[in-house]
Amino acid sequence: FPKLPFERILKRNGAKRVADEAANEFALVMEEIMSKIIENAWELAKHAGRKTLLVNDVKLARRKTLS
């Protein structure tokens, strides 16, 4: 992922300056979280007998993953 969007997120949430390594690490962490959410969302869609991922699958997967 590009580093700049993650730097913006960090700065928007209080960081005055962000080291390149910190932005890269944050991007890796976010990629891991997003991958887990996608995996859980896909399982929900498959369980429902669908091949299409719906917004509700993603919302439920986010709650399941982050709780």
Side-chain angles (χ1 to χ4, degrees):
F1 291 105
K3 181 178 55 172
L4 190 56
F6 295 100
E7 283 185 34
R8 279 192 219 122
I9 293 168
L10 291 165
K11 286 181 178 180
R12 198 176 316 135
N13 286 281
K16 300 289 183 227
R17 296 182 347 174
V18 179
D20 285 344
E21 294 162 349
N24 290 335
E25 185 64 24
F26 183 65
L28 289 172
V29 168
M30 294 308 299
E31 183 178 3
E32 288 176 23
I33 293 169
M34 289 186 288
S35 292
K36 292 265 187 210
I37 292 171
I38 292 167
E39 286 174 23
N40 288 334
W42 181 236
E43 287 300 319
L44 290 166
K46 286 193 308 187
H47 179 74
R50 290 185 275 104
K51 294 182 180 181
T52 303
L53 201 62
L54 301 178
V55 67
N56 285 338
D57 299 326
V58 177
K59 287 179 179 181
L60 288 170
R62 180 185 66 192
R63 273 192 245 144
K64 176 182 176 185
T65 304
L66 299 179
S67 63

